[in-house]
């Protein structure tokens, strides 16, 4: 059960993690880059819409970091 919870935690907010960690994926967005990454057009849009609620939560928790960091390029 602990491993399952850890896997769920690691997979949650994928758009948030990708938009902050992978160069070029933030597209210059400073606030809620994970949500904006999830709603972009692309072949995987259906799957990223499923990630949208989790990215919204993670991006909200990271608002102070985003305010200090600036736009993600």
């Amino acid at each position: 059960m602990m491993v399952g919870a850890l896997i769920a935690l690691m997979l949650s907010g994928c758009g948030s993690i990708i938009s902050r960690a992978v160069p070029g994926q933030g597209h210059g967005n400073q606030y809620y880059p994970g949500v904006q990454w999830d709603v972009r057009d692309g072949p995987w849009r259906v799957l990223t819409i499923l990630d949208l609620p989790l990215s919204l939560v993670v991006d909200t928790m990271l608002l102070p970091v985003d305010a200090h960091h600036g736009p993600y390029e």
Side-chain angles (χ1 to χ4, degrees):
M1 189 160 128
M2 188 69 135
V3 171
L6 182 60
I7 289 172
L9 182 64
M10 297 290 282
L11 291 176
S12 66
C14 284
S16 298
I17 295 167
I18 290 171
S19 64
R20 288 175 174 86
V22 179
Q25 295 300 313
H27 302 291
N29 298 314
Q30 180 170 356
Y31 298 106
Y32 291 93
V35 171
Q36 294 180 27
W37 189 86
D38 282 341
V39 296
R40 76 197 188 290
D41 288 329
W44 297 100
R45 186 172 185 175
V46 174
L47 295 176
T48 59
I49 293 298
L50 298 174
D51 179 53
L52 187 64
L54 298 172
S55 291
L56 182 64
V57 170
V58 172
D59 284 349
T60 300
M61 290 173 30
L62 292 175
L63 272 174
V65 174
D66 293 343
H68 180 59
H69 181 274
Y72 291 93
E73 298 298 329

